[in-house]
Amino acid sequence: MVTPQLTEDMVISALRQVKYPGMSRDLVSFGMIKNARVEGATVHLDLQVPTEDAEVVAKVEASVREALSRVPGIGEIRIQNAPRPAPQESAPGPAPLPGVRRIVAVASGKGGVGKTTVSVNLALALAQSGAAVGLLDADIYGPNVPRMLGELGRPTAHEGKIVPLVRHGLRVISVGYLLGEQSPIIWRGPLVAQALKQLLHEVHWGELDYLIVDLPPGTGDTQLTLVQAVPLTGGVIVTTPSAVALMDAERGLRMFREARVPILGIVENMSYFICPHCQGETDIFSRGGGRQVSDSLGVPFLGEIPLNPTIREGGDTGAPVVVAMPESAEAQIFRNVADKVRLATEAAAEAMPQMIIR
Ligand SMILES: Nc1ncnc2c1ncn2[C@@H]1O[C@H](COP(=O)(O)OP(=O)(O)OP(=O)(O)O)[C@@H](O)[C@H]1O
Ligand SMILES: [Mg+2]
């Protein structure tokens, strides 16, 4: 059998199969493979892994070697760890936000499971308990926070920084407020990263007990940027009880684990349906999966939120259930979730000095 001639395309397509640890995106699309070239059977490439963590770099290099070793006709694999970009261009390491005590990211592997609903009601429940709370809408392509909190007008600037809007006592920022929710955003990865960094570092957050960050679905540029831009106190994973959503939740968990971000727990949303007529509970998507995933992965379970039209209406009308119907059972469920998040952040914050943050 004739071995095919090794080409750069073969190398690149093999590397497109290698995911960055914990992420669903591959090394090529993240731009971490530089100067790949082939000389006979030898492949040379520079690997630019955006972390100081030697363990992660070694892991990525091992996966690259493993993927390339399967390419037909490959001989020697020469990998250079590419110099990190010059300081003025390089992504700075995680920088705390002055005055912000705890930063909590709300994530999910899958879209539409209720991250924004949970973020908004969680932030409001924490604020109701007397904490100073900010909410950052990190969904640059599809910002939904403005809809859930109501249109608020445009943020202003003060001393070169953006002043967040205030709604129900929350300090809120979203590209939706800056550009309008409807503007189609077709930015590519690096611009998304830049926009998120601005929303983190160039906003007058003031003194905050919590900054809740509502992430877009999945594990891509925004997630990677966030874990590298600020020291997260922890991550909350939202899932629905369906099997597919749960698998995606596990992916989200792995992302935080790989980035050494403590997992504060899992929220199961749309867990069951309470019939408005007979008050009977129906488990539409087979309830309990969130708790099982929590148990099997050893992370806290933060609660089950029912599928309930009042929760959706609160989201659609800018009056989330926690503030619109504070006496309701649903508001109480969100307050219970908030209590658990508060306890989990306390534990995570205590462990923080020992944590290695990239
Ligand atoms: N428990 C619930 N009961 C009823 N409706 C809900 C519930 N949770 C979320 N919804 C509704 O489901 C839709 C999706 O929720 P949401 O926008 O919070 O999800 P998401 O995970 O943030 O979505 P995306 O991945 O697009 O950011 C919204 O219309 C919201 O009002
Ligand atoms: Mg959302």
Side-chain angles (χ1 to χ4, degrees), residues 121 124 128 168 310 313-315 317-328 331:
N121 283 291
L124 289 168
Q128 278 178 350
H168 305 302
T310 32
E313 282 154 22
T317 55
V321 69
V322 163
V323 287
M325 301 173 72
E327 306 302 323
S328 64

Side-chain angles (χ1 to χ4, degrees), residues 114-117 139 142 144 148 214-217:
K115 288 175 298 301
T116 306
T117 305
D139 201 335
N144 284 148
M148 295 217 185
D214 175 27
L215 281 165

Side-chain angles (χ1 to χ4, degrees), residues 266-281:
I266 293 183
V267 176
E268 185 176 288
N269 186 30
M270 310 193 197
S271 202
Y272 55 98
F273 175 70
I274 303 177
C275 171
H277 309 293
C278 72
Q279 308 305 317
E281 292 186 8

Side-chain angles (χ1 to χ4, degrees), residues 144-190:
N144 284 148
V145 165
R147 175 168 51 83
M148 295 217 185
L149 285 176
E151 284 301 329
L152 303 173
R154 300 244 153 173
T156 51
H158 178 66
E159 292 172 350
K161 284 195 168 187
I162 305 166
V163 181
L165 295 166
V166 178
R167 179 77 168 171
H168 305 302
L170 293 182
R171 281 169 241 172
V172 195
I173 205 74
S174 164
V175 285
Y177 294 133
L178 298 165
L179 301 175
E181 208 177 347
Q182 300 308 323
S183 26
I185 298 182
I186 47 168
W187 298 343
R188 292 186 53 83

Side-chain angles (χ1 to χ4, degrees), residues 90-282:
S90 77
L97 301 177
V100 178
R101 291 175 58 218
R102 290 164 192 175
I103 308 176
V104 174
V106 179
S108 73
K110 195 174 155 68
V113 295
K115 288 175 298 301
T116 306
T117 305
V118 169
S119 302
V120 164
N121 283 291
L122 167 66
L124 289 168
L126 288 167
Q128 278 178 350
S129 70
V133 185
L135 176 63
L136 190 159
D137 184 353
D139 201 335
I140 309 288
Y141 291 113
N144 284 148
V145 165
R147 175 168 51 83
M148 295 217 185
L149 285 176
E151 284 301 329
L152 303 173
R154 300 244 153 173
T156 51
H158 178 66
E159 292 172 350
K161 284 195 168 187
I162 305 166
V163 181
L165 295 166
V166 178
R167 179 77 168 171
H168 305 302
L170 293 182
R171 281 169 241 172
V172 195
I173 205 74
S174 164
V175 285
Y177 294 133
L178 298 165
L179 301 175
E181 208 177 347
Q182 300 308 323
S183 26
I185 298 182
I186 47 168
W187 298 343
R188 292 186 53 83
L191 278 179
V192 170
Q194 222 175 315
L196 177 60
K197 282 186 221 158
Q198 272 190 315
L199 296 186
L200 287 161
H201 291 287
E202 291 172 36
V203 169
H204 276 293
W205 289 111
E207 296 285 321
L208 286 184
D209 295 308
Y210 298 93
L211 178 64
I212 307 295
V213 182
D214 175 27
L215 281 165
T219 50
D221 289 302
T222 309
Q223 287 74 10
L224 187 60
T225 304
L226 181 69
V227 297
Q228 290 174 346
V230 286
L232 289 177
T233 313
V236 169
I237 303 280
V238 181
T239 185
T240 65
S242 79
V244 193
L246 288 170
M247 259 164 51
D248 286 306
E250 291 190 35
R251 192 171 303 141
L253 280 171
R254 274 204 301 279
M255 168 191 81
F256 283 132
R257 286 221 162 123
E258 294 284 354
R260 304 184 188 196
V261 172
I263 293 149
L264 303 177
I266 293 183
V267 176
E268 185 176 288
N269 186 30
M270 310 193 197
S271 202
Y272 55 98
F273 175 70
I274 303 177
C275 171
H277 309 293
C278 72
Q279 308 305 317
E281 292 186 8
T282 309

